[in-house]
Amino acid sequence: MRPPDTPNASGTPDTPDRPGDALAPVLRDVRAVVFDTDGVITDSAKVHAAAWKVAFDGFLRAHPPEDPDQRRPFDAREDYLRHVDGKSRLDGAAAFLAARGIDASDETVRSVAEDKERLFTRRLREDGVDAYPGTVRLVKALRAAGVPRAAASASRHAGELLSRAGVLDLFDALVDGGESARLGLAGKPEPDLFLEAARRLGVPADRAAVVEDALAGVEAGRRGGFALVVGVDRAAGADTGARLLRHGADLVVHDLGELCAGGAPT
């Protein structure tokens, strides 16, 4: 993709007459945008899901629940979306184990979460991650329009993910899992993480937007009183978009390029 100010085939720049014209109408009154990281900015949600699957399946084999039906393997789509997506490692591990009828101790939850952390870190260092082109296009359009942008994530790896994907410098602020722990912020679906990101941008929540792909994340955006909550449905499943709307999204897109002028909801 060419930068927005490079000439096109006719020799004229692609830059719009006004910076805001590069954005869909639904974003033109928004004064700041907070982006979740995994699955929204970077293609890393699938790496998280794969690491969780190895960790949970190994635990279920070693400690099978009494109910045979609860021994089925972790589903990297349904179980991931329902129980761990958008949450901290400890909250995600606890939620899934509880869903399988396992009364896990804090030590057990930590052990499973640490196993997942090792698996994810190894995969990240070996393969890295990419940023979604549609997201990069939108973030650059927001920057050109002078709209502040923050990245937020429950993951302590968020800064490394963004740096490896080459997009860290596109954001004015970052609130990651390390900062969240330091500040004692509650995890999603509580809105603390997003509210802190908006605060760092100097914009009240009711003038800002949140962009999320997780059910817990869109619910957090709604609870936080954000002016606009955008759900991103990468799975494009039969009901994933509907679930995002039920949990608090104002609108759902499959790719954030849809929020740039030319193919965006109004």
Side-chain angles (χ1 to χ4, degrees):
M1 184 181 71
R2 288 179 290 109
D5 58 350
T6 55
N8 58 26
S10 66
T12 59
D14 285 337
T15 306
D17 293 336
R18 297 184 304 276
D21 289 346
L23 301 171
V26 73
L27 287 177
R28 289 181 187 163
D29 291 328
V30 168
R31 289 178 50 199
V33 181
V34 178
F35 292 82
D36 176 53
T37 302
D38 296 308
V40 173
I41 303 172
T42 60
D43 187 12
S44 47
K46 64 183 182 183
V47 185
H48 281 289
W52 277 123
K53 179 169 177 57
V54 174
F56 282 136
D57 286 356
F59 180 87
L60 291 172
R61 285 193 300 269
H63 309 280
E66 292 185 10
D67 182 351
D69 185 55
Q70 298 285 49
R71 300 172 190 170
R72 65 190 183 279
F74 177 82
D75 187 308
R77 180 178 178 274
E78 283 301 317
D79 286 330
Y80 180 75
L81 291 173
R82 186 178 299 276
H83 302 300
V84 301
D85 191 19
K87 300 178 182 178
S88 70
R89 283 183 291 112
L90 291 175
D91 288 347
F96 175 75
L97 294 177
R100 292 301 177 91
I102 299 169
D103 185 15
S105 66
D106 290 347
E107 182 180 355
T108 296
V109 169
R110 270 196 308 275
S111 177
V112 174
E114 288 170 0
D115 190 22
K116 180 266 177 183
E117 175 76 352
R118 286 191 294 271
L119 292 161
F120 176 80
T121 301
R122 184 175 66 193
R123 177 74 178 273
L124 174 62
R125 301 283 160 75
E126 289 175 352
D127 301 331
V129 294
D130 295 320
Y132 289 103
T135 301
V136 174
R137 180 183 170 209
L138 174 61
V139 173
K140 288 183 174 180
L142 289 165
R143 183 175 65 176
V147 179
R149 304 144 320 278
S153 175
S155 172
R156 295 174 183 266
H157 296 286
E160 183 179 1
L161 286 167
L162 295 173
S163 180
R164 283 175 170 266
V167 295
L168 182 60
D169 62 348
L170 294 179
F171 296 91
D172 301 300
L174 167 65
V175 184
D176 64 5
E179 278 292 276
S180 181
R182 183 180 69 82
L183 296 171
L185 304 180
K188 303 171 192 175
E190 296 304 319
D192 300 27
L193 186 70
F194 294 147
L195 291 173
E196 174 63 17
R199 186 192 69 77
R200 294 186 184 195
L201 295 178
V203 176
D206 62 3
R207 299 300 304 277
V210 161
V211 185
E212 253 284 4
D213 68 322
L215 300 180
V218 293
E219 186 174 340
R222 176 58 55 232
R223 290 187 185 188
F226 282 81
L228 178 68
V229 181
V230 179
V232 183
D233 180 12
R234 303 281 187 199
D239 66 343
T240 48
R243 281 194 280 178
L244 287 165
L245 290 169
R246 286 197 301 270
H247 278 76
D250 294 301
L251 61 96
V252 174
V253 298
H254 296 302
D255 183 274
L256 287 175
E258 296 172 43
L259 295 181
C260 296
T266 58

